[in-house]
Amino acid sequence: MVSCSQSSQLSSTTATEFSDAIRLNQIGFYPNAPKVAVVVGENEGGEFYLKTADNSKTVYTGTLSEVKPGEFSQRPTRVADFSDFTQTGQFVLEIPGVGHSYPFEVKQDVHEEVAKAAIKGFYFQRASTELPEQYAGKWSRPAGHLDNNVLVHPSAATAQRPAGTVIAGPRGWYDAGDYNKYIVNSGITMGTLLSAYEDFPEQFKEQNLNIPESNNQVPDLLDETLWNLRWMLTMQDPTDGGVYHKLTNPSFEGMIMPADAKKPRYVVQKGTGATLDFAAVMAQASRVYRNYSSEFPGLADSCLTASKKAWEWAQKNPNVEYDQNTLSQQHKPEVSTGAYGDKEFKDEFIWAAAELYATTKQDSYYTAVNMLPDNDMPLPSWAQVRLLGYYTLARFGGNLTPVAQKDLPEIKKRLVSFADNLMDGANQRSYRTVMGKTEKDYIWGSSSVAANQGIALVNAYKLTGDKKYLHAALTNIDYLLGRNATGYSFVTGYGEKSTMHPHHRPSVADGVDEPVPGLLSGGTNASAARQDNCGTYQSTFADEVYSDDDCSYASNEIAINWNAPLVYLINAIEALEDKVAL
Ligand code: 9MR
Ligand code: 9MR
């Protein structure tokens, strides 16, 4: 129980207590959309009440569902479904014998603030620049990691750039709670953000994120992605077109601010995964920034040239793995930061081919790979990018040449049945979310599993026009914002009980109580305790292994590849809510 004195909204009702046993989207609900809360633990059942946030008036009475044991913990749960309540306002849910929920809102555009904050989260991750108070508020900080003196690591040495050559690789976003910049992880991150723009351009046109570029003619989302795109361009070896796997310190810095982090920085070995992800991003960026040629002259052409060169390198080097252990045995200094060491590049080839083809309409890119090598439909993650290619082919459906047209019905069919499969059984589970079908959903960065499932569902909606996919996607937004077995909203700064202590160096070291806002915690991770040995986990049940502690990097770090699908999902739903009566 949390006493109400922590909330200004309820200060008049001193007798009231918020109950952590009531799990719901702590931000709120759209007036016409489904509205569900889950009550965990023993209680009498019976009626529940929706009250105005000052607790003075009951506006709706419903009946709790029968008890259902949680899928992993067997804890009793009941559902309070108030979907047919459509009035706008600020409310709390009262469950007799249990208490009150955190206050939440019912209104149009209820997620717009968190949708913007999730993009602004990337601004807070910017390397090589000061974050002035004007934009960053109390999270302002001096510049760190100018990255103008980056060394070529022996693993990346060539005749033209021997070991120790100094190159510049400024800008970019810090990957996560650490200060390194990794091409593979930037790949899926950029692909997801640029796809959000391509799928819902109107949503971003008017958004003002209060970033330094907010006053130009370009959507702020694309100003933000440009910060990372410019860094990515520096990661290509101009001689041969191959792309360095990462720009990194040899080992992780301590929990210090960017400006205090002064270890040397290196670019390391070029690899097939990084090079193909780069090719895909640059091809897509070329398409997107072509619309802003007067603001950024030459950019779209530079991106396309870079993409083609990377593609050619990968054709000649189709299987160069980034194997950090072997690399560290052979070269000094040893490198021990994030590996992102994929071993299998079929999906990277599919994604890069799809983007290059969609941008150039040249059949040769499409036919260079087998687009449907097997029936697998892996949910996107840093190591699985096949569906990013399929999403792009589906997006440009009508404009494809015959060579791709012939596969399109099959690709669409697979995307829809993938979504059907995700949805299957969600309504019968205790939390009624798509997230949590199996224990395998609760991996390192599981919040991105929920968000990427949501994106797959949005894509199925785009292909079918069936609203059930959007309702299903909303269950995962509800999951991320509090309707889950931990009771946390995993978005910093959003929700009465949200992540406060992420494994995020600036949030730990800046002396500000509140964490940097708009960042998505990796969230529940069934294996976290043995992965990070942080001793503060309270549960071993798969859906409950989360600790809001900065030592818990396996359940409570933040990362750009997790924020990106949050940006897509929540902005997509905001965009669609205005068009479709959700
Ligand atoms: O801070 C690091 C985090 O960004 C990584 O995701 C994580 C896994 O690679 O590692 C963290 O660094 C830890 C290191 O691996 C082991 N010693 C403690 C470090 C965190 O303080
Ligand atoms: O997201 C990555 C996860 O899939 C891996 O299991 C984990 C351990 O290798 O690393 C995660 O990525 C981290 C990266 O290595 C370094 N920066 C922080 C990332 C998020 O924890």
Side-chain angles (χ1 to χ4, degrees):
M1 294 274 198
V2 182
S3 103
C4 66
S5 59
Q6 295 188 357
S7 161
S8 52
Q9 279 124 318
L10 288 192
S11 50
S12 60
T13 57
T14 39
T16 310
E17 287 195 316
F18 294 144
S19 172
D20 180 43
I22 305 171
R23 309 284 165 80
L24 44 58
N25 179 328
Q26 294 171 32
I27 302 300
F29 304 90
Y30 298 116
N32 296 310
K35 297 168 202 74
V36 164
V38 174
V39 198
V40 196
E42 303 291 342
N43 61 68
E44 299 288 299
E47 290 190 333
F48 69 86
Y49 308 100
L50 196 61
K51 295 185 144 185
T52 49
D54 64 3
N55 214 17
S56 67
K57 203 171 128 212
T58 300
V59 292
Y60 180 90
T61 304
T63 307
L64 290 168
S65 73
E66 290 304 304
V67 171
K68 181 171 294 241
E71 287 72 32
F72 302 97
S73 67
Q74 309 301 315
R75 276 185 228 288
T77 62
R78 293 179 191 266
V79 170
D81 187 334
F82 50 106
S83 299
D84 53 357
F85 177 79
T86 57
Q87 286 170 37
T88 58
Q90 279 222 336
F91 305 100
V92 291
L93 207 62
E94 183 182 299
I95 314 242
V98 176
H100 290 87
S101 71
Y102 305 110
F104 59 87
E105 277 189 285
V106 177
K107 64 171 185 182
Q108 299 282 312
D109 305 325
V110 71
H111 296 114
E112 187 61 27
E113 288 310 309
V114 58
K116 283 162 63 179
I119 309 174
K120 180 85 178 250
F122 286 87
Y123 169 74
F124 286 110
Q125 290 295 99
R126 286 189 189 189
S128 318
T129 189
E130 178 197 8
L131 305 187
E133 204 197 334
Q134 184 186 356
Y135 309 115
K138 61 180 154 188
W139 299 280
S140 66
R141 57 168 169 83
H145 302 94
L146 300 185
D147 286 341
N148 283 323
N149 293 295
V150 177
L151 302 166
V152 174
H153 189 263
S155 61
T158 59
Q160 294 82 1
R161 286 184 164 186
T165 303
V166 175
I167 66 168
R171 299 193 181 87
W173 299 309
Y174 298 128
D175 185 57
D178 63 325
Y179 291 142
N180 304 297
K181 305 190 288 197
Y182 308 83
I183 287 289
V184 167
N185 208 41
S186 267
I188 182 167
T189 302
M190 292 289 281
T192 303
L193 294 174
L194 294 173
S195 295
Y197 177 75
E198 286 196 300
D199 287 342
F200 303 99
E202 295 303 323
Q203 166 69 8
F204 303 101
K205 285 232 161 87
E206 305 297 326
Q207 257 179 3
N208 185 335
L209 304 179
N210 185 30
I211 58 174
E213 303 80 8
S214 285
N215 291 327
N216 69 9
Q217 297 306 303
V218 180
D220 284 4
L221 174 68
L222 297 183
D223 285 321
E224 195 49 55
T225 48
L226 185 58
W227 189 263
N228 201 57
L229 189 74
R230 289 205 191 278
W231 162 65
M232 288 183 79
L233 283 164
T234 70
M235 291 293 281
Q236 184 169 45
D237 182 344
T239 314
D240 61 7
V243 177
Y244 303 113
H245 190 74
K246 57 178 170 175
L247 192 164
T248 187
N249 299 125
S251 58
F252 289 114
E253 293 274 8
M255 302 308 275
I256 55 180
M257 290 301 282
D260 302 324
K262 296 191 172 128
K263 282 186 185 165
R265 307 270 272 178
Y266 291 86
V267 289
V268 300
Q269 187 205 294
K270 291 172 267 189
T272 307
T275 302
L276 286 169
D277 287 347
F278 174 100
V281 168
M282 290 301 158
Q284 186 174 20
S286 166
R287 243 175 15 238
V288 168
Y289 288 97
R290 182 80 59 197
N291 302 317
Y292 297 95
S293 291
S294 51
E295 286 84 358
F296 309 123
L299 177 66
D301 290 337
S302 301
C303 290
L304 189 55
T305 304
S307 175
K308 289 177 176 172
K309 279 186 79 168
W311 173 259
E312 281 155 27
W313 188 91
Q315 296 299 305
K316 290 182 209 130
N317 300 276
N319 212 6
V320 184
E321 204 185 297
Y322 179 77
D323 174 357
Q324 187 154 282
N325 290 337
T326 309
L327 178 148
S328 288
Q329 280 157 20
Q330 292 169 351
H331 304 285
K332 293 285 165 265
E334 288 177 18
V335 179
S336 61
T337 52
Y340 291 118
D342 199 357
K343 298 181 193 322
E344 210 279 311
F345 306 118
K346 202 160 56 184
D347 55 311
E348 284 79 8
F349 271 107
I350 290 175
W351 183 32
E355 297 300 344
L356 269 159
Y357 166 74
T359 301
T360 63
K361 298 286 154 24
Q362 279 175 32
D363 287 351
S364 57
Y365 290 114
Y366 194 92
T367 54
V369 307
N370 184 351
M371 283 288 174
L372 297 163
D374 52 44
N375 291 322
D376 293 353
M377 291 292 283
L379 189 75
S381 71
W382 62 262
Q384 293 286 4
V385 291
R386 178 194 290 209
L387 262 60
L388 272 62
Y390 291 177
Y391 292 154
T392 286
L393 294 171
R395 177 180 312 128
F396 294 103
N399 296 320
L400 304 182
T401 62
V403 79
Q405 281 298 348
K406 74 170 186 344
D407 290 338
L408 201 58
E410 177 64 20
I411 288 174
K412 288 183 176 173
K413 196 178 102 200
R414 287 190 192 188
L415 287 171
V416 173
S417 76
F418 180 58
D420 288 336
N421 197 33
L422 286 173
M423 278 177 65
D424 191 36
N427 277 332
Q428 279 74 55
R429 287 195 286 277
S430 52
Y431 281 83
R432 298 204 184 169
T433 59
V434 168
M435 179 65 178
K437 189 175 189 176
T438 74
E439 180 162 347
K440 292 198 189 99
D441 283 353
Y442 297 107
I443 55 171
W444 192 314
S446 70
S447 294
S448 73
V449 171
N452 275 306
Q453 290 173 341
I455 295 178
L457 292 158
V458 169
N459 272 274
Y461 167 77
K462 291 203 305 151
L463 291 170
T464 61
D466 191 335
K467 261 201 294 198
K468 73 177 180 191
Y469 296 110
L470 297 181
H471 289 166
L474 258 176
T475 69
N476 276 9
I477 292 183
D478 291 347
Y479 168 90
L480 291 169
L481 295 173
R483 197 170 96 217
N484 62 57
T486 74
Y488 277 89
S489 160
F490 292 122
V491 183
T492 56
Y494 290 82
E496 202 75 30
K497 181 183 179 180
S498 56
T499 296
M500 282 296 287
H501 306 287
H503 183 86
H504 178 242
R505 281 166 174 74
S507 294
V508 172
D510 63 6
V512 178
D513 284 347
E514 295 88 349
V516 171
L519 301 176
L520 181 61
S521 166
T524 315
N525 171 4
S527 308
R530 77 174 158 70
Q531 288 168 331
D532 61 25
N533 290 311
C534 173
T536 55
Y537 297 101
Q538 303 289 316
S539 170
T540 54
F541 297 116
D543 58 350
E544 294 181 348
V545 187
Y546 170 70
S547 181
D548 184 18
D549 186 329
D550 59 62
C551 83
S552 171
Y553 57 77
S555 89
N556 205 30
E557 192 163 351
I558 63 91
I560 56 173
N561 64 314
W562 307 337
N563 249 68
L566 175 68
V567 166
Y568 184 115
L569 175 59
I570 210 151
N571 280 282
I573 294 289
E574 275 294 308
L576 290 167
E577 189 236 356
D578 290 341
K579 296 212 188 77
V580 191
L582 271 182

